[in-house]
Amino acid sequence: MTKVAVIVGSLREASLNKKFAHAFIAHASEGIEFVYADIDLPLYNGDLEASAYPEKAQALKDLIKSCNSVLVVTPEYNRGYPGVLKNAIDWISRPDSTEVLNNKPVVLAGVSGSALGTTQSQSQLRNVLIYLNTKLMGQPEAYINGGRFFTESGEVVEESKEWLQRYVDAAVAHLSSSN
Ligand code: FNR
C-alpha cells in the first residue's frame, strides 16, 4: 500500500491549507494511506543538532522515511513560503541531505486567501525540493484561492469538485509512482 506523508505549511487550527489537504484525501482513491506530519519543531540550531537532536525532528524524519511519497500543501507568507516549513525541511536535511527525501515523489499545492495564489511560495519551494533530489510533480499545478474554493462552512464549492478530482487523480498517480 502506498503511504503518503502530508505536510501542511500552516500551524493554524482553521488553516485553509489543512482544509485542502483534507479535501485531497477525501477525493483520493482507496488503497492509499495518508499520515499528517507534525512540523511544529524547535528552530534549527547546529548546536542542538550536535548535542541533542530534537525528538520531534527525528520523528518527522522517521515518518517521512516510512512513507513512499510526500504531499506538501502550503500558504504564501510575504511572497515566500512559511518559515515553519523551511525550518522543518532544514531539520530533515541534517545531517545527511540525501537521507530522507532523496528520490521521493512529491506533490506540491497551495491555498491563499486571495486571487494572487501561492505562485511565489511554490516556485521558491520547488527550487528547494529539486535541490533535495525529490521527484517533484511538474503538472498539474494547484494555486487555490481559498475564498472561492471553499464555502463558508468549509466544503469545496460545487464548481471546483470536478477540477479537484482530476487534480487528485493525477497527483495520486505521481505519489504512487515508484521511488
Ligand atoms: C499572508 N497571506 C498572503 N497571501 C498571499 O497570497 N501572498 C502573500 O504574500 C501573503 N502574505 C502573508 C503573510 C503572512 C504573515 C500571513 C499570516 C498571511 C495570506 C495567506 O495566504 C492567508 O492568510 C492564508 O489563509 C494562510 O493559510 P492558512 O493558514 O489558512 O492555511
Side-chain angles (χ1 to χ4, degrees):
M1 182 190 277
T2 299
K3 192 173 161 192
V4 180
V6 182
I7 298 179
V8 177
S10 168
L11 302 180
R12 209 163 67 87
E13 197 53 45
S15 160
L16 294 172
N17 285 275
K18 212 178 283 174
K19 280 198 176 78
F20 182 80
H22 293 335
F24 183 106
I25 293 167
H27 283 75
S29 45
E30 283 181 11
I32 301 197
E33 186 187 354
F34 291 91
V35 189
Y36 282 95
D38 180 4
I39 62 164
D40 193 357
L41 309 178
L43 285 178
Y44 176 79
N45 176 335
D47 294 339
L48 207 52
E49 179 191 339
S51 61
Y53 202 99
E55 267 177 40
K56 286 183 85 177
Q58 187 59 51
L60 177 62
K61 278 170 68 160
D62 292 344
L63 172 75
I64 297 174
K65 275 203 264 183
S66 77
C67 290
N68 305 86
S69 49
V70 184
L71 170 66
V72 182
V73 189
T74 185
E76 178 169 290
Y77 286 173
N78 299 308
R79 301 296 180 264
Y81 62 96
V84 68
L85 182 52
K86 181 64 163 61
N87 185 53
I89 291 171
D90 291 342
W91 271 118
I92 63 181
S93 73
R94 297 293 300 165
D96 175 0
S97 70
T98 64
E99 187 191 352
V100 177
L101 286 170
N102 199 45
N103 227 14
K104 281 224 150 74
V106 174
V107 165
L108 175 57
V111 186
S112 77
S114 74
L116 287 175
T118 52
T119 50
Q120 299 204 47
S121 66
Q122 288 194 48
S123 85
Q124 289 170 17
L125 188 49
R126 275 173 193 274
N127 280 342
V128 173
L129 293 171
I130 287 165
Y131 168 71
L132 290 171
N133 260 345
T134 66
K135 254 176 73 183
L136 184 60
M137 183 171 82
Q139 292 181 44
E141 297 172 300
Y143 305 107
I144 315 289
N145 176 350
R148 295 213 174 140
F149 194 78
F150 297 107
T151 64
E152 280 192 6
S153 57
E155 304 297 317
V156 176
V157 296
E158 216 43 52
E159 311 86 274
S160 296
K161 283 188 176 161
E162 202 183 309
W163 173 87
L164 178 61
Q165 191 61 62
R166 266 187 281 121
Y167 177 75
V168 171
D169 290 347
V172 162
H174 185 83
L175 292 168
S176 308
S177 60
S178 59
N179 49 356

